[in-house]
Amino acid sequence: MENSKKNLSHITGRPENPSAAVLSLKIRLWTQSPTRLVLLIAVSVFISEAAVMFVISFLPASSLWLRAVFDATLLVILLSPVLYFCIFKTLVRHINKRRQVEAELRTHRDRLDELVMKRTVELTQANQNLKKEMSERERAEAELTVRANRARQVADSLPLLIASVDADRRYRFLNREHENWYGISASEFVGRKVRDLLDDNGYGLVRSRIDTVLSGKPVAFEEKMSLPDGTFRHYFAQYIPDILHNQQIGGFFLVAQDISARKQAENELKHELFINSALSELYGPLISPEASIEDIAHTVLEKAKTLTDSEHGYVSSIDPETGGNVSHTLTEMMKDQCDVTPAKQITFPRDEDGSYRSLWGHALDTLEAFFTNSPQGHLSSNGLPSGHIPIDNFLSVPVMLGRELVGQIALANKAGEYTHKDLEAIGRIAEFYALAIQKSRAGEALQMAKNGLEQRVEDRTAELFKANQKLMAEIADRIHSQAQLQRSKSRLQAVFDSISEPLILFDRNMVVKMLNKTAADYYGLAQYTELLDSKCHQMLRSSDGPCEG
């Protein structure tokens, strides 16, 4: 503790005695100023010199040299304390303090050098770490830039609408597909709010969806949008929430895909299914033996009207003999809307040159299906008969069996406009109807052949009956003739047997026709009647005499 105090007093320059400390403090106050120090020395010299002169005045007379030595000695004795306390001690104290300060400065400098060195090493290490971190950050930023560019390239190359919207509903990122959809550069979207790019109706449709996705729930939907060229685009869209690390919603991602092709394919498949369903329903009447051509024509017309959404139409067949177009369902088209009196069948005859007149006959003349949505402007149109219903649009398909024209399917007044799909659908129905006409003609031909065959069978049966009766009469006559011949032969045989000489009757071929009993006994022939009509040698094997001639 004392050492600490001594060190403290040594360092601060303060004496341990309080009175001495006060005196030292006063002297130090005086000596701190150069002016005061000079004044103090002058006053001290003056007082000392005065004191010396006062003392010398009491000394006996002496030499001047001795008086000077005595004067200097007393002056030194008197001034030494003043010089010691006022100058020397102060200088020593200042020197010691300066040395102490210099030592402390050296210590502090060494410590500071050490700290500076350590700090320099730390700063060097920190600088190296910072450079490494900056290098890594630059590399990471470069890699992120490359990835971002790659991601943008990928996003721009995808046939998808991709966008990022923040929580304030401002676009942060959009891919190039937006230009294809909206005709506006993607850069014009960035920074703008969704509300600024849509009208009231458009924003009203998406507002509730945006509210939902910003609440953290994903949204998916299909919709149809109109394009500037008047067409429509079907698309499937998803709103995906952008969930940050703190589970806050930072916005959402928009991904939309054009599904117009898929929708078109679905509609085509539905249309194809509808056509196939209609065609399958035609199989029944087509293969039914009881279905007439009128029944099949009626079914064809109903299916054709349903497929094309047509209000009117007719189905006909060509008379193979006259070439007239015989309508089987025209009355179904007219009903109460036409003043033409309906009949069971109406035939549209050919002109003298073999052509069919008017709009309805154009397909029959050219053998090509067609449709027109402005019938009055068609080249083949020559107006409508009085009382006929107005024709807003018209579709006609010739029914062909190979290269032969066999019928027609005509439709009119579709709710919209006829298209090539309608023409294709009716063309496929026409193929089935051609088979029905072929079946009907085959049935008619078969019936005619059957009727002819039955007539021929009936005629042949009558002829056979007459021939049979004639044959029976001939058989009866022959039996009667044979009976008579047998009786004559019996009588002749009796005459032969009555002759006592052997008698044999041959024909020119030496076949035995008759012999009497005497000849049979002579040649030893038992049951000789069974051997008649045999060769001579076969009958008379043991005797060659009668057979030599």
Side-chain angles (χ1 to χ4, degrees):
M1 189 70 177
E2 292 179 357
N3 292 332
S4 299
K5 290 181 179 180
K6 287 181 180 180
N7 293 333
L8 183 60
S9 63
H10 178 70
I11 293 172
T12 58
R14 297 176 181 174
E16 299 179 7
N17 191 352
S19 59
V22 174
L23 179 61
S24 176
L25 179 59
K26 291 179 179 180
I27 294 173
R28 195 163 44 184
L29 291 174
W30 274 95
T31 58
Q32 284 180 353
S33 175
T35 304
R36 290 178 181 177
L37 181 59
V38 172
L39 182 60
L40 180 59
I41 294 174
V43 172
S44 299
V45 171
F46 177 77
I47 295 174
S48 298
E49 184 65 28
V52 170
M53 295 302 294
F54 180 73
V55 173
I56 292 176
S57 64
F58 291 100
L59 293 176
S62 60
S63 62
L64 183 58
W65 182 84
L66 183 60
R67 289 173 67 89
V69 171
F70 183 76
D71 185 8
T73 301
L74 288 177
L75 187 58
V76 169
I77 293 171
L78 292 174
L79 289 175
S80 294
V82 176
L83 295 174
Y84 175 76
F85 286 106
C86 292
I87 298 176
F88 179 75
K89 191 174 182 180
T90 302
L91 291 175
V92 171
R93 185 173 62 252
H94 280 292
I95 291 170
N96 291 335
K97 186 175 182 181
R98 182 167 182 171
R99 290 176 178 175
Q100 182 180 0
V101 171
E102 288 178 355
E104 291 178 356
L105 286 175
R106 282 194 298 272
T107 302
H108 285 297
R109 185 182 63 189
D110 294 340
R111 186 176 302 171
L112 182 61
D113 290 341
E114 182 181 354
L115 291 175
V116 169
M117 183 64 68
K118 182 178 180 181
R119 186 60 179 166
T120 301
V121 173
E122 292 177 355
L123 288 176
T124 302
Q125 185 66 32
N127 190 27
Q128 292 177 354
N129 293 336
L130 182 60
K131 288 182 178 179
K132 183 178 179 181
E133 184 178 350
M134 290 178 62
S135 177
E136 292 178 354
R137 180 172 294 180
E138 290 176 356
R139 185 171 62 254
E141 289 178 354
E143 185 176 352
L144 286 176
T145 302
V146 172
R147 290 184 178 179
N149 293 334
R150 188 176 300 168
R152 174 172 284 279
Q153 291 177 357
V154 173
D156 289 340
S157 64
L158 292 175
L160 301 174
L161 200 69
I162 302 175
S164 175
V165 183
D166 61 17
D168 294 330
R169 309 188 184 197
R170 293 183 183 274
Y171 285 103
R172 295 180 298 194
F173 168 81
L174 302 98
N175 67 336
R176 192 177 299 165
E177 189 68 13
H178 283 76
E179 300 179 9
N180 300 330
W181 281 44
Y182 299 102
I184 303 176
S185 175
S187 59
E188 299 182 19
F189 282 85
V190 178
R192 300 179 64 181
K193 288 190 174 182
V194 179
R195 180 67 181 86
D196 299 336
L197 302 174
L198 299 174
D199 55 17
D200 294 338
N201 294 332
Y203 187 70
L205 292 175
V206 302
R207 180 176 181 179
S208 59
R209 296 167 181 163
I210 295 178
D211 293 339
T212 301
V213 72
L214 289 180
S215 66
K217 299 178 181 178
V219 179
F221 60 92
E222 287 187 10
E223 206 162 71
K224 181 174 70 174
M225 63 178 292
S226 60
L227 299 178
D229 59 358
T231 60
F232 292 92
R233 184 194 302 270
H234 292 269
Y235 67 93
F236 172 75
Q238 288 181 294
Y239 291 173
I240 305 170
D242 182 12
I243 302 176
L244 305 178
H245 297 292
N246 56 1
Q247 300 302 314
Q248 295 294 322
I249 305 299
F252 66 94
F253 299 102
L254 164 64
V255 180
Q257 182 180 7
D258 187 356
I259 58 173
S260 300
R262 191 189 76 185
K263 281 292 184 181
Q264 182 179 0
E266 289 179 357
N267 293 334
E268 290 178 356
L269 287 175
K270 290 180 181 178
H271 186 67
E272 182 71 18
L273 179 61
F274 193 32
I275 294 175
N276 292 336
S277 176
L279 294 178
S280 65
E281 294 182 12
L282 293 176
Y283 279 116
L286 184 62
I287 64 176
S288 174
E290 299 177 356
S292 64
I293 187 65
E294 289 77 11
D295 297 333
I296 297 176
H298 177 76
T299 304
V300 167
L301 177 61
E302 292 303 316
K303 295 303 176 184
K305 289 167 59 179
T306 303
L307 283 175
T308 59
D309 195 22
S310 298
E311 185 178 1
H312 300 294
Y314 67 87
V315 176
S316 62
S317 62
I318 303 298
D319 189 333
E321 296 182 359
T322 64
N325 191 19
V326 181
S327 175
H328 303 289
T329 58
L330 182 61
T331 54
E332 296 293 333
M333 180 187 76
M334 292 182 178
K335 290 190 176 179
D336 299 332
Q337 302 185 45
C338 185
D339 294 337
V340 180
T341 302
K344 186 176 181 180
Q345 285 184 339
I346 297 180
T347 301
F348 298 95
R350 288 190 298 183
D351 289 343
E352 295 179 357
D353 59 357
S355 64
Y356 299 91
R357 61 185 179 83
S358 189
L359 184 65
W360 63 267
H362 179 72
L364 304 182
D365 292 334
T366 61
L367 301 182
E368 293 183 358
F370 80 101
F371 67 89
T372 175
N373 293 306
S374 56
Q376 294 78 10
H378 197 271
L379 296 176
S380 299
S381 177
N382 56 4
L384 297 172
S386 177
H388 199 283
I389 61 173
I391 301 298
D392 299 326
N393 43 37
F394 184 76
L395 182 147
S396 177
V397 176
V399 181
M400 305 295 295
L401 193 58
R403 296 184 178 181
E404 180 186 1
L405 176 67
V406 295
Q408 181 186 20
I409 300 176
L411 300 168
N413 293 1
K414 180 181 178 179
E417 291 186 348
Y418 286 115
T419 64
H420 289 282
K421 286 186 177 180
D422 298 327
L423 204 64
E424 180 184 357
I426 303 306
R428 295 178 62 179
I429 291 181
E431 294 176 359
F432 276 80
Y433 182 51
L435 297 178
I437 294 177
Q438 184 182 34
K439 174 194 171 185
S440 176
R441 288 186 176 182
E444 292 177 358
L446 182 62
Q447 185 64 39
M448 291 177 62
K450 180 182 177 181
N451 295 336
L453 181 61
E454 290 178 350
Q455 184 64 39
R456 288 196 298 273
V457 169
E458 184 177 352
D459 294 342
R460 185 59 178 168
T461 302
E463 292 175 359
L464 290 175
F465 179 75
K466 292 179 178 179
N468 188 36
Q469 288 181 339
K470 184 177 180 180
L471 180 61
M472 293 297 292
E474 292 177 355
I475 291 173
D477 293 340
R478 181 172 295 181
I479 292 172
H480 180 70
S481 298
Q482 288 179 352
Q484 290 181 348
L485 181 60
Q486 186 64 31
R487 286 196 297 270
S488 299
K489 187 177 181 180
S490 297
R491 285 196 297 270
L492 181 60
Q493 185 67 40
V495 172
F496 266 60
D497 289 339
S498 64
I499 299 174
S500 59
E501 294 294 329
L503 183 63
I504 299 174
L505 179 64
F506 300 95
D507 64 5
R508 66 178 62 186
N509 295 322
M510 297 302 293
V511 175
V512 178
K513 291 299 184 179
M514 291 186 66
L515 75 164
N516 59 0
K517 187 174 185 304
T518 304
D521 293 336
Y522 178 79
Y523 292 105
L525 298 175
Q527 303 294 331
Y528 64 93
T529 57
E530 297 178 359
L531 298 176
L532 295 178
D533 295 330
S534 298
K535 287 285 187 179
C536 178
H537 294 287
Q538 292 176 353
M539 177 180 289
L540 305 175
R541 294 189 181 99
S542 59
S543 178
D544 295 334
C547 299
E548 292 178 355

